[in-house]
Amino acid sequence: ARREFCYGADRRMLFHDSGTRIVFLKVTPLALSASAIRSRLQRGQSVRYLVPSAVERYLLRERLYARGSVSS
């Protein structure tokens, strides 16, 4: 990849002759585990933004890990 791409002036982006680019973004790391998600659900707390929305809907619809459910 080093031979195929070149850095932009600000070194936050790589460019390719084809027009493809790679952008480097600073993100805040988020330590998250399946146990933490299950624990939040058991306490009735939201898991929004921690799992994909389709997964959140499924977990809530099926009451997986909810307080008092058979699966918790």
Side-chain angles (χ1 to χ4, degrees):
R2 290 177 195 216
R3 286 181 271 170
E4 299 293 325
F5 287 85
C6 62
Y7 277 102
D10 62 6
R11 302 195 56 85
R12 286 188 262 169
M13 195 176 305
L14 288 173
F15 294 94
H16 188 268
D17 289 337
S18 68
T20 301
R21 60 185 175 192
I22 300 172
V23 179
F24 298 99
L25 301 173
K26 289 186 179 185
V27 296
T28 304
L30 179 62
L32 187 63
S33 66
S35 297
I37 291 170
R38 286 191 298 270
S39 179
R40 290 184 67 81
L41 290 165
Q42 288 168 348
R43 292 191 311 264
Q45 296 177 322
S46 174
V47 294
R48 188 177 201 184
Y49 307 120
L50 301 178
V51 297
S53 57
V55 172
E56 179 189 19
R57 285 191 304 272
Y58 178 79
L59 292 170
L60 295 174
R61 182 180 66 239
E62 300 297 325
R63 297 191 36 80
L64 295 178
Y65 313 113
R67 192 179 317 163
S69 69
V70 176
S71 61
S72 62

